[in-house]
Amino acid sequence: MTGISWRHVALWAVFIIFMLLLPEMVSKGTLRTVIFANFLAIFAISWDVISGRTGYISFGHPFLIGIGAYTTAILSYRFGMPVGLSIPLAVCVTMVAGTLFFLPALRVKGSYFALVTLAFMELMYQLVQVIRPDLTGGTRGMSGVTTLARGAVNNYYLSFGLMIVIAVSMWVLMKTRFGTALSAIGMNEESVRGSGLSTTRLKLFAFMVSAMVAGLGGAFYVHYLGSIAPRALFDINFVFTIIVAVLIGGASTIVGPMLGAFFLTFLLEYLRPYLPGAERYFIYGSIALVIYMYQPKGLYEIVMQQWRKYRVVKAGET
Amino acid sequence: MAEVSRRKSRRDLNVSHHLEVNNLVKMFGGLIATNEMSFQVDEGESLGLIGPNGAGKTTIFSLIMGELRQTSGSITCFDSEISHLQTHERIQRGISRTYQVPRPFADMNVLENIRVGLMPDNIWQMIMRRPDPEREIELAQSVGFAENDFLRHPSELSIGDLRKLELARTLATDPSLMLLDEVFAGLTVAEIAQMAELINQKREAGMTMIIVSHDLKSLEPLIDRAIAMNYGAIVAEGSFADVMADEQVRATYLGDE
């Protein structure tokens, strides 16, 4: 909520340079894991814009991601539309459809909002299987969707480029008074209204921003995977992974969801050899719980605390 | 009703009132919270609203702000009906209130709290224009915050400071009519004096006010006129002395001696 200083710019620059050099340092397998982390980070940032800040918990983000993914997949795969056109269209469709469907959801509060959004996700799951299966591919989904890049390295650069553009632009946007107003809604919506601001308009705009990011992420994700399967997409575990990534990383920040996404992806990946089944989720749940109990503001806050402590010690030495 | 003179002359001249409430009724199910209330406040006037707990004073504020919708009746501001407007639209018409229980933004410091009050209701401007720290500081100082309070968070502030903060955020919306709900509750003697001075400054600057308070001694010098209410209806209206002399007021509000 403070201004942007040179230190922020420097930190972003260091991070970007590190990530650009990453393919030189790690194996292709690790790189593929990072690709997933990048996409999860995009989804987590999207979720955080509406839920992390305003406190309106969305369980329906796969609905938005799904609209983006399905739109571009159908347009390019079934109608042969070039990807350069189908992705922007998919983002627009996500924003419009998302806004229309969530307009009634904005009128309800708290857990009801979460339930309504959850219902949308379930609805979408049922609908894609029934309505025009010739287009959506029904239960089996689609495979053979155009991919944008070949090989782990290229895909890594593509996903990282998308993630960093989204992260930095959201970070700048949230530094403005708009971001402050959204956080204020999360703290006390009545007082925001009492300050003469239309909270409905603010939430709607935040939702459209969130939908845009989700649509963008979903569209690129499907062109990375080259396939789409409704069961994997409209899965409650997928929602929880996004939410847990934000919560353990640190809600209401941009770095937090990124941190959480990377932490979670690598945690699941490293647990895989030891626990190939669903037991992994038990471990990750426990770790998330411990972090959340230790510091509800997440990993981001833990890092910041250490940093402040370090600075105090440093200041004491000199 | 002794204080009638000035009001009457204005009414005869057909000057519109700053705020006029007509036959206002609010029912919560079968409970009548506001029962056919009618009153006016002129521009620059300060009206005191008194009554026992549960008399419906805060309900009136919520109705004027649009946080609650009346069952029937009308609310006009300079002769234009505002009942259909949403809260933020009423605030843009220059009506603002404080709350009995202050409602700060917990994770924001004093200046950031005021910043929210200063924001335009326009997302584009919100994003493109930078905040105005000078105006934030000016407002914080105007309600009596010292420089080392600026970066404090609400959890570090006393109830008196929280009321000041609430007042500053309310003033940030640039109101011409302020509804002050229990501004003295929980304040120390020194803080009450400070708050009273602040209210007097605003009065002198021409602000119209409706003040709710249980602290009658502090309230008296701040108002031109008083309305006593009970069970959602007006019991007595007039100068503070007249209202306090009213038998019904003595019975319901102060208790029999």
Side-chain angles (χ1 to χ4, degrees), chain B residues 20-39:
Chain B
E20 187 164 357
V21 170
N22 264 319
N23 299 321
L24 202 64
V25 176
K26 175 67 189 173
M27 316 251 296
F28 291 110
L31 180 84
I32 303 172
T34 307
N35 193 0
E36 298 265 336
M37 284 274 287
S38 298
F39 65 88

Side-chain angles (χ1 to χ4, degrees), chain A residues 153-173:
Chain A
V153 177
N154 290 336
N155 269 304
Y156 165 75
Y157 280 127
L158 186 64
S159 65
F160 173 69
L162 182 69
M163 193 273 281
I164 201 70
V165 166
I166 288 175
V168 172
S169 43
M170 286 301 121
W171 181 76
V172 171
L173 182 65

Side-chain angles (χ1 to χ4, degrees), chain B residues 228 235-237 240-252 254:
Chain B
V235 179
E237 189 177 357
F240 184 78
D242 284 357
V243 168
M244 293 321 290
D246 188 280
E247 263 179 40
Q248 241 185 309
V249 174
R250 298 194 75 81
T252 55
L254 304 168

Side-chain angles (χ1 to χ4, degrees), chain B:
Chain B
M1 296 191 188
E3 240 275 321
V4 158
S5 53
R6 197 181 64 174
R7 273 202 310 135
K8 196 127 208 176
S9 63
R10 282 219 190 178
R11 196 180 289 167
D12 292 344
L13 285 167
N14 212 5
V15 173
S16 59
H17 303 287
H18 196 155
L19 186 84
E20 187 164 357
V21 170
N22 264 319
N23 299 321
L24 202 64
V25 176
K26 175 67 189 173
M27 316 251 296
F28 291 110
L31 180 84
I32 303 172
T34 307
N35 193 0
E36 298 265 336
M37 284 274 287
S38 298
F39 65 88
Q40 309 83 28
V41 195
D42 288 327
E43 202 175 355
E45 193 185 19
S46 174
L47 174 73
L49 206 55
I50 60 172
N53 288 324
K57 303 176 299 262
T58 300
T59 307
I60 294 278
F61 278 11
S62 303
L63 290 170
I64 295 173
M65 289 315 299
E67 292 153 352
L68 294 174
R69 289 297 160 113
Q70 69 260 36
T71 311
S72 66
S74 74
I75 305 167
T76 57
C77 180
F78 289 122
D79 277 347
S80 84
E81 181 67 45
I82 57 165
S83 301
H84 59 282
L85 297 179
Q86 286 187 294
T87 303
H88 68 271
E89 293 167 320
R90 298 185 199 202
I91 290 167
Q92 284 156 22
R93 295 265 181 115
I95 309 173
S96 239
R97 77 172 283 192
T98 65
Y99 292 86
Q100 216 167 330
V101 181
R103 303 164 156 193
F105 303 117
D107 288 338
M108 292 185 187
N109 63 38
V110 167
L111 292 185
E112 286 167 338
N113 265 277
I114 296 171
R115 187 172 306 160
V116 178
L118 281 170
M119 284 185 197
D121 189 27
N122 176 321
I123 292 175
W124 182 248
Q125 284 184 11
M126 237 182 231
I127 294 170
M128 296 315 287
R129 296 228 187 113
R130 298 181 144 273
D132 184 353
E134 277 165 35
R135 182 96 184 92
E136 289 164 16
I137 290 170
E138 193 186 309
L139 276 162
Q141 281 171 337
S142 80
V143 297
F145 277 115
E147 207 167 315
N148 55 356
D149 293 326
F150 290 171
L151 299 179
R152 293 229 165 105
H153 281 70
S155 58
E156 302 167 283
L157 298 177
S158 70
I159 181 75
D161 285 344
L162 288 176
R163 288 204 189 286
K164 285 193 242 163
L165 178 58
E166 179 125 319
L167 199 63
R169 209 188 61 233
T170 310
L171 286 169
T173 65
D174 199 17
S176 55
L177 167 62
M178 282 182 84
L179 314 176
L180 305 175
D181 201 351
E182 292 293 358
V183 272
F184 302 122
L187 301 197
T188 64
V189 180
E191 284 172 332
I192 289 178
Q194 206 182 7
M195 186 62 87
E197 199 195 308
L198 203 66
I199 293 172
N200 260 330
Q201 274 174 19
K202 294 291 154 200
R203 269 180 82 197
E204 274 160 30
M207 181 95 69
T208 311
M209 293 187 181
I210 305 179
I211 310 173
V212 162
S213 181
H214 273 121
D215 185 346
L216 299 178
K217 209 181 276 174
S218 309
L219 181 67
E220 187 180 357
L222 298 178
I223 56 175
D224 300 314
R225 194 161 54 94
I227 287 178
M229 57 186 294
N230 201 9
Y231 300 114
I234 293 176
V235 179
E237 189 177 357
S239 74
F240 184 78
D242 284 357
V243 168
M244 293 321 290
D246 188 280
E247 263 179 40
Q248 241 185 309
V249 174
R250 298 194 75 81
T252 55
Y253 189 43
L254 304 168
D256 292 310
E257 276 140 84

Side-chain angles (χ1 to χ4, degrees), chain A residues 64-252:
Chain A
L64 297 172
I65 297 163
I67 288 184
Y70 265 103
T71 308
T72 181
I74 291 170
L75 287 176
S76 62
Y77 185 63
R78 305 275 181 208
F79 299 106
M81 190 183 273
V83 175
L85 200 59
S86 71
I87 291 178
L89 264 174
V91 174
C92 294
V93 171
T94 312
M95 287 172 73
V96 173
T99 308
L100 284 178
F101 277 96
F102 275 77
L103 221 43
L106 281 168
R107 296 222 154 249
V108 294
K109 278 194 159 190
S111 41
Y112 297 103
F113 179 81
L115 286 176
V116 170
T117 53
L118 183 63
F120 274 123
M121 185 186 81
E122 215 31 57
L123 190 74
M124 181 86 178
Y125 174 52
Q126 302 297 339
L127 283 181
V128 293
Q129 301 181 40
V130 188
I131 294 182
R132 298 298 300 269
D134 57 318
L135 285 183
T136 64
T139 350
R140 298 161 84 195
M142 281 172 268
S143 53
V145 180
T146 331
T147 49
L148 292 170
R150 273 167 197 276
V153 177
N154 290 336
N155 269 304
Y156 165 75
Y157 280 127
L158 186 64
S159 65
F160 173 69
L162 182 69
M163 193 273 281
I164 201 70
V165 166
I166 288 175
V168 172
S169 43
M170 286 301 121
W171 181 76
V172 171
L173 182 65
M174 290 304 150
K175 282 275 177 202
T176 68
R177 291 189 289 177
F178 173 64
T180 312
L182 289 189
S183 302
I185 290 179
M187 296 172 212
N188 196 329
E189 190 171 347
E190 251 89 60
S191 291
V192 178
R193 219 174 289 137
S195 303
L197 304 177
S198 165
T199 53
T200 310
R201 199 189 303 147
L202 280 168
K203 284 183 288 182
L204 184 65
F205 193 77
F207 192 79
M208 283 173 71
V209 172
S210 176
M212 185 185 82
V213 174
L216 210 53
F220 273 90
Y221 193 49
V222 73
H223 286 300
Y224 163 65
L225 292 176
S227 64
I228 189 167
R231 187 63 281 179
L233 194 58
F234 304 113
D235 182 3
I236 192 78
N237 275 329
F238 182 38
V239 187
F240 284 139
T241 310
I242 296 172
I243 298 178
V244 169
V246 175
L247 291 186
I248 66 173
S252 221

